[in-house]
Amino acid sequence: WTPIGSPSKKFTATFDGNGHVVSNLYIYRPNDNNQGLFGWASNADIKNVGLENVDVTGGGWVGGLVGEGSSSTISNCYATGSVTGTRTYSNVGGLVGYGQNRIIISSSYSTGSVTGNNNVGGLLGWSNYGTINNSYSTGTVTGNANVGGLLGYGGVTLDNAYYTDTTGQTNGIGSGTPSSGTAQLVTMDGLHELISQGILPDYKSKTVDKGSS
């Protein structure tokens, strides 16, 4: 898959998935940055799409949905599978790798594994400032520095932002201080209770045969 949007031609529009699901997204470019379904989104609105069983490997700025997002809104989206960043500063997240200039992630989640070196987060790898609300991550998160169950590094506004013990991380944020709010640790049972109360979006962990799309 060739990511939508690049440093030379950023995605700057609205993408509405209308509830559709993209299955088996496969990217293997360990030496290239800005990898994901969208490589670089700027002043974009991405909503209502699910990614199931992604297998995404890039150098840095890597996410299941968005590698790098600037001044963009991501809502009602999710990703499952695995995401890997190979560079020293990986900036890798299950949903979004690198978020800058007031990126907003709302009613979204990641349940896939995330692996990198520096700035590694279950949902978002790095963000200087932005907002995460009504969102969560549950997949295993592994890295060497600035590793968090929800966010690898940064200072963002958090509102109903959760990560589960299944991430393998005791800290929701690897490094940095939220502008407001906290990354809240819950068990999977606690997460399902929040979902049943309508506080968080529905959890999906569908197993799909491996493929290359």
Side-chain angles (χ1 to χ4, degrees):
W1 173 261
T2 301
I4 303 167
S6 65
S8 61
K9 191 174 182 180
K10 302 175 181 66
F11 177 77
T12 59
T14 295
F15 177 87
D16 188 345
N18 290 311
H20 286 87
V21 173
V22 177
S23 297
N24 304 324
L25 175 72
Y26 178 77
I27 298 173
Y28 184 76
R29 295 189 183 89
N31 298 316
D32 295 341
N33 296 335
N34 299 105
Q35 300 299 310
L37 180 67
F38 293 86
W40 194 327
S42 179
N43 294 294
D45 185 8
I46 300 170
K47 56 189 176 182
N48 304 324
V49 64
L51 301 176
E52 295 190 350
N53 202 41
V54 305
D55 184 354
V56 176
T57 297
W61 292 260
V62 186
L65 180 65
V66 177
E68 180 168 352
S70 175
S71 302
S72 296
T73 298
I74 295 165
S75 58
N76 299 314
C77 296
Y78 71 90
T80 77
S82 65
V83 181
T84 301
T86 64
R87 293 192 184 277
T88 300
Y89 286 94
S90 308
N91 298 317
V92 57
L95 194 70
V96 179
Y98 188 90
Q100 59 176 320
N101 300 333
R102 303 192 186 283
I103 190 168
I104 297 172
I105 300 175
S106 177
S107 299
S108 299
Y109 61 89
S110 169
T111 68
S113 63
V114 184
T115 305
N117 292 305
N118 203 325
N119 304 334
V120 186
L123 188 74
L124 173 61
W126 185 100
S127 182
N128 53 353
Y129 51 93
T131 300
I132 299 174
N133 62 65
N134 301 329
S135 299
Y136 60 91
S137 56
T138 68
T140 302
V141 183
T142 306
N144 298 317
N146 301 338
V147 183
L150 184 76
L151 170 66
Y153 177 88
V156 298
T157 297
L158 300 173
D159 183 20
N160 287 329
Y162 296 87
Y163 68 105
T164 62
D165 50 3
T166 55
T167 63
Q169 297 297 321
T170 56
N171 295 320
I173 301 176
S175 181
T177 303
S179 301
S180 66
T182 60
Q184 302 179 67
L185 175 63
V186 293
T187 64
M188 288 299 292
D189 286 344
L191 179 72
H192 287 300
E193 180 62 27
L194 291 167
I195 291 168
S196 69
Q197 294 173 8
I199 296 171
L200 294 175
D202 193 15
Y203 174 85
K204 295 180 181 178
S205 183
K206 184 178 179 181
T207 301
V208 186
D209 290 337
K210 193 81 166 180
S212 57
S213 302

